[in-house]
Amino acid sequence: MPSSTRNNPVESTEQKVRDNFGRQSFMVTLGAIMTAVGRGKVEIQFPFNSQLTQQNGFAHAGTITSIMDSACGYAALTVAPEDCDVLSVEFKANFVAPALGERFIARAEVKRAGRTITVSAADAFAVNQGQEKLIATMLATIMNMPAKK
Amino acid sequence: MPSSTRNNPVESTEQKVRDNFGRQSFMVTLGAIMTAVGRGKVEIQFPFNSQLTQQNGFAHAGTITSIMDSACGYAALTVAPEDCDVLSVEFKANFVAPALGERFIARAEVKRAGRTITVSAADAFAVNQGQEKLIATMLATIMNMPAKK
Amino acid sequence: MPSSTRNNPVESTEQKVRDNFGRQSFMVTLGAIMTAVGRGKVEIQFPFNSQLTQQNGFAHAGTITSIMDSACGYAALTVAPEDCDVLSVEFKANFVAPALGERFIARAEVKRAGRTITVSAADAFAVNQGQEKLIATMLATIMNMPAKK
Amino acid sequence: MPSSTRNNPVESTEQKVRDNFGRQSFMVTLGAIMTAVGRGKVEIQFPFNSQLTQQNGFAHAGTITSIMDSACGYAALTVAPEDCDVLSVEFKANFVAPALGERFIARAEVKRAGRTITVSAADAFAVNQGQEKLIATMLATIMNMPAKK
């Protein structure tokens, strides 16, 4: 870690989150990028891609779920103790409109951070010509785990 | 449809499910195949692939969720009215062990088929040297929709 | 219905919701009252009661769930077609702090109203000396049903 | 504890579970009794009671949820370390048929017991003239907590 971030916990946490995200090969496969990181908040996006669709040509629910899951987990990581990694215990997702758009955005926010368990919520949006439409929503349970050295 | 299946509803339903699955590009991206279809039951598998991993090198929760979701939906489709397609209303998944294995299997079964709403449950397993280990479980709500012509 | 409400859809919807709530005997058993009704929003409260507790003397998770469920359903009813009743298809609730307080409040809001399916979210709070603390959160799926005559 | 149970872990666990259940005042309010306890399995029932109904005279979803929640938690308690209590982290319940019957039974089973987190599943049935009908199903996450002395 560069010494310049040692005294900047915010930058340090963001870097930790972005480094961790960079190790999720599946996010690369989805073409997903992390477009925002803040305290208790993370945003992840990916562009429409015909290799990620279900039978009707919409993005597969699993792809939308994947960016919501990652966003919920990383939102939790921003508020976890410094030496902790996070783990998805479970999540629930509702799909409220077809995943039809040029790109898809998941925005997650921590609802309550506990010592062991953190609850995050995420909404997912389809973007068409700059207009966002809610397509899914998630409520997730994340556990803090001592990070492997 | 070959005339030989016209008078065989079971074969016809299996073919409808397999045709529909064949149109899910995302399943191809995962390397997923449908390894069993029965009345109210579907099994989907995919092999470990380093392009589908999370930060620790395990399969991403989103990939396991995706095959459980597809398996739950197709299990519902096997018992849906003939002219219906199905839609994931929502699901909840618990992750009980790391997705570490040579391949991953989702087995879904319909718990209760209604006129509009079907509830399916799925378990997911990691396979190592022929041994299966439970890694996740899902409870899903699926809606019957008149199929688009 | 009194003629005075015939020409006032807002008042009429609120009355419909309050009448329906008044028929939920279980809410009487909980001592629950509906303290707010608006378009897509409902609030329900009940006071602490030692007959509603779990093993440690906190309000049972089932009681908190019950007012969140009713609040989610009634929030959906405020935006349902006029001749429809609503039905809980499913819900998921997270419990983030002990239900310890003088009274408990559930506040539900519709996240997305569809023709058949509505998604509502609720938060539950424990109130102590005027201070509210988040104790639980719910994400619920509600179905519109033609009302029985 | 009678000395006769000191050397009988099974009886001791059952007694621990039944004692704990006996302290849930809300179960008394529901008229609920624990009708079976085994390793990783618990059954709880309550009779229909017009004070526990929703607007159509069926048992309120919250009452069915309550016995499923308690059954899931106690099933987890039967496999928890001896000095642990359990806590509902979250649950998800689907309601598949109206809660219309003479009595209602929740049967819970542990799906996977971990060191910290246990996953239980429950089904709920309405009983009419000796016939059981599935009305609801739950998937629950329970956490082991060091018991308070």
Side-chain angles (χ1 to χ4, degrees), chain D:
Chain D
M1 187 192 303
S3 62
S4 64
T5 66
R6 279 194 185 276
N7 300 315
N8 188 334
V10 172
E11 192 179 327
S12 167
T13 296
E14 177 171 344
Q15 200 53 50
K16 173 185 172 186
V17 167
R18 289 191 179 278
D19 287 351
N20 193 310
F21 179 78
R23 293 199 303 273
Q24 291 205 335
S25 303
F26 183 49
M27 290 294 123
V28 177
T29 298
L30 294 180
I33 54 172
M34 187 174 279
T35 41
V37 185
R39 185 167 171 76
K41 293 188 186 186
V42 164
E43 184 184 281
I44 297 174
Q45 305 193 14
F46 73 96
F48 177 83
N49 175 341
S50 63
Q51 295 186 311
L52 304 176
T53 56
Q54 40 83 284
Q55 69 275 12
N56 297 314
F58 308 146
H60 194 283
T63 64
I64 303 299
T65 301
S66 297
I67 60 166
M68 289 196 293
D69 171 38
S70 282
C72 282
Y74 286 121
L77 188 57
T78 66
V79 297
E82 207 179 326
D83 55 346
C84 277
D85 199 354
V86 292
L87 194 77
S88 294
V89 173
E90 63 83 42
F91 53 64
K92 176 248 206 296
N94 270 72
F95 304 94
V96 302
L100 193 59
E102 298 148 11
R103 59 199 168 88
F104 306 101
I105 306 178
R107 291 197 188 98
E109 193 164 348
V110 169
K111 278 203 72 115
R112 202 268 186 170
R115 206 167 29 135
T116 310
I117 299 285
T118 295
V119 177
S120 296
D123 286 328
F125 303 87
V127 186
N128 280 295
Q129 301 184 301
Q131 297 284 330
E132 295 186 3
K133 185 181 176 183
L134 181 73
I135 56 171
T137 187
M138 174 178 279
L139 192 56
T141 307
I142 295 113
M143 187 156 57
N144 292 331
M145 300 284 286
K148 301 235 176 62
K149 302 296 174 185

Side-chain angles (χ1 to χ4, degrees), chain C residues 128-140:
Chain C
N128 281 295
Q129 302 184 301
Q131 297 284 332
E132 295 187 4
K133 184 182 176 182
L134 182 72
I135 56 171
T137 187
M138 175 178 279
L139 191 56

